[in-house]
Amino acid sequence: MPNRTLNIRISRSAAAYPIHIGTGIVSSLSELALSGLVPAPSRVVVVSNRKVAALYADTAVKSLRRGGLEAHVCLIGDGERFKNLRTAERILQFLGSVRSARTDAVVALGGGVVGDAAGFAASIYLRGVPFIQVPTTLLSMIDSSVGGKTGVNTPFGKNLVGSFYQPQCVVVDAGTLRTLPGREITAGLCEAVKQAAIDGGTLFERTSRFLHDPNRELSGQMVADLIARQIKFKSQIVAGDEREDPLHAGPRSRKVLNFGHTLAHALEKATHYRYLKHGEAVGHGVRFAAALSKNLGLLSSNELNLLNDVVLRAGKLPPIDSIEPEAIFASFKFDKKMIGNELQWILLEGIGKPVIVPHSDIPRDAHRRSLVEIGGRG
Ligand SMILES: NC(=O)c1ccc[n+]([C@@H]2O[C@H](COP(=O)([O-])OP(=O)(O)OC[C@H]3O[C@@H](n4cnc5c(N)ncnc54)[C@H](O)[C@@H]3O)[C@@H](O)[C@H]2O)c1
Ligand SMILES: [Zn+2]
């Protein structure tokens, strides 16, 4: 499959950085991501976890060594519970122990957990060293590796310590999706539907066509096309609102990327982050926000049905009828998407037409009714 490159400019001040999308391109990591860095690095630390490293670190390291670079692999724990300050400190210590210098690079090889933690460490080690993302989950390819948000979880909440730090380059190897478990694919597809619903137009049409295709394959040209379109969308939103300005509340603000996330975070919290993959929770969240939009008279039944159908084609979502509704509603109060003291909902006035609605404008029964409509308990 031909390799393609998107050049993404996130802010006016920073140079554009390339996003390479292809199949089997981890084996060209050195040429794609490191040969152009000025000044040239001499050492690269690849941050990964045991599972992903067993699959792809050898290929990455071989490419780096062929390119004349000294390559080291720093392993971190696998899973959300390792995305914390202790892991960030471990990465920093590793960088120190191999004497990584300011011009040396950090490569994140893995899903969003590796990318967020490694990116955060790269942003503070020696006040910032070159950072390269090699996302290996669908979610990290279309979402977390683009946009420059890095960070870790803390005892007081998820993603509450971090930085905005853009990578020098992103290498998306769709071939790595071949080994990704089915639930992780569904989770990534739900985030793709979320972005498609916000954008509408061709992104919605392409995403829905991909999901309707009985012969869709998850590691070739078709998925690479979808990933490229999804990344373009995310980068356009980020370029217009790099740091999620609290005062930017337009339909193209970074906040709209939180569509489906208020219920998603509530479901994850109510089940102690153990029952649902984040993307699966987003699948339920998209259906909930769409049902709420219809119940408030914003979205037509036709568009609601269209959206529901697309979410269901992303894969089977774990049922939510055993989750206590009060636990869900209680966590709306602690949602991060607050402006001042009030939670803001991202709803739809149509596919491709997000609107921001204050929590106090929504009657409580609309929440209950919408939860029941998506399979929750009344
Ligand atoms: N920075 C951002 O803008 C942003 C945006 C969205 C999500 N996130 C963060 O991303 C994280 C979720 O990322 P995720 O969904 O990629 O989860 P993840 O990083 O936990 O990866 C999911 C699982 O898949 C495994 N895996 C990864 N690639 C594989 C492959 N190719 N083959 C087989 N197994 C593979 C991982 O080891 C892990 O067990 C969350 O922490 C979330 O907060 C960040
Ligand atoms: Zn998400």
Side-chain angles (χ1 to χ4, degrees):
M1 192 200 84
N3 175 21
R4 84 196 70 188
T5 302
L6 304 175
N7 275 299
I8 301 298
R9 185 177 289 279
I10 297 293
S11 70
R12 258 160 291 169
S13 52
Y17 62 86
I19 300 185
H20 304 284
I21 305 167
T23 299
I25 60 174
V26 170
S27 61
S28 311
L29 178 62
S30 181
E31 301 90 295
L32 289 173
L34 288 132
S35 59
L37 292 185
V38 182
S42 52
R43 236 173 248 105
V44 178
V45 169
V46 177
V47 180
S48 193
N49 67 39
R50 216 168 280 287
K51 195 196 286 174
V52 178
L55 293 161
Y56 305 110
D58 249 11
T59 312
V61 164
K62 271 192 191 132
S63 165
L64 296 170
R65 293 194 177 141
R66 263 199 324 273
L69 293 153
E70 183 185 314
H72 301 270
V73 178
C74 167
L75 294 180
I76 65 169
D78 187 1
E80 191 67 35
R81 70 181 195 285
F82 290 100
K83 202 178 98 174
N84 55 29
L85 282 167
R86 193 174 300 169
T87 296
E89 190 180 356
R90 226 177 116 163
I91 301 171
L92 295 170
Q93 268 169 359
F94 189 97
L95 290 166
S97 73
V98 301
R99 305 197 178 286
S100 240
R102 274 189 61 199
T103 51
D104 290 336
V106 173
V107 169
L109 174 69
V113 167
V114 168
D116 280 11
F120 179 53
S123 77
I124 56 174
Y125 180 71
L126 305 180
R127 298 198 175 80
V129 293
F131 171 52
I132 287 137
Q133 290 266 21
V134 185
T136 61
T137 62
L138 184 56
L139 184 144
S140 58
M141 290 175 186
I142 64 165
D143 191 352
S144 61
S145 67
V146 183
K149 279 190 184 175
T150 79
V152 293
N153 305 326
T154 68
F156 48 92
K158 268 195 80 180
N159 295 323
L160 293 187
V161 167
S163 58
F164 285 102
Y165 196 63
Q166 300 296 344
Q168 299 282 329
C169 170
V170 184
V171 176
V172 177
D173 185 340
T176 61
L177 296 177
R178 226 171 271 139
T179 52
L180 193 65
R183 278 186 73 183
E184 300 292 349
I185 295 281
T186 298
L189 288 173
C190 287
E191 291 277 12
V193 171
K194 172 208 81 177
Q195 300 199 150
I198 301 166
D199 194 44
T202 34
L203 188 65
F204 187 78
E205 191 252 310
R206 289 296 179 115
T207 307
S208 123
R209 201 193 306 158
F210 177 84
L211 288 168
H212 278 82
D213 189 335
N215 302 317
R216 73 186 187 215
E217 21 115 23
L218 286 159
S219 51
Q221 177 85 45
M222 273 172 81
V223 79
D225 274 348
L226 183 70
I227 291 167
R229 284 173 182 276
Q230 289 275 340
I231 290 177
K232 251 192 210 155
F233 162 75
K234 167 118 194 219
S235 61
Q236 277 161 4
I237 295 278
V238 172
D241 184 16
E242 188 185 0
R243 294 193 167 225
E244 198 162 338
D245 178 354
L247 300 176
H248 187 339
R252 278 296 181 256
S253 72
R254 202 165 174 162
K255 280 180 210 76
V256 301
L257 296 172
N258 284 324
F259 176 59
H261 278 62
T262 300
L263 183 85
H265 290 152
L267 292 174
E268 289 180 281
K269 190 155 182 232
T271 53
H272 309 286
Y273 299 95
R274 289 201 197 107
Y275 177 58
L276 296 159
K277 307 270 171 210
H278 171 71
E280 292 171 337
V282 170
H284 286 296
V286 164
R287 295 191 60 218
F288 180 77
L292 195 55
S293 306
K294 190 215 67 181
N295 289 331
L296 296 176
L298 297 169
L299 188 72
S300 72
S301 302
N302 271 353
E303 286 195 300
L304 173 67
N305 294 339
L306 198 61
L307 204 49
N308 275 336
D309 180 48
V310 180
V311 176
L312 295 175
R313 283 174 192 274
K316 201 166 173 294
L317 300 178
I320 53 168
D321 55 352
S322 58
I323 305 173
E324 181 54 53
E326 285 315 316
I328 298 172
F329 297 137
S331 70
F332 288 168
K333 292 196 192 106
F334 299 102
D335 196 278
K336 227 181 6 161
K337 294 169 285 303
M338 299 246 186
I339 296 177
N341 231 353
E342 184 162 33
L343 168 63
Q344 308 287 323
W345 284 84
I346 316 298
L347 299 180
L348 290 181
E349 283 182 317
I351 292 171
K353 293 190 191 142
V355 273
I356 300 180
V357 178
H359 187 65
S360 56
D361 286 5
I362 303 174
R364 203 174 155 88
D365 346 332
H367 283 131
R368 278 193 187 279
R369 187 170 157 204
S370 308
L371 187 63
V372 172
E373 284 172 6
I374 65 157
R377 216 191 309 153

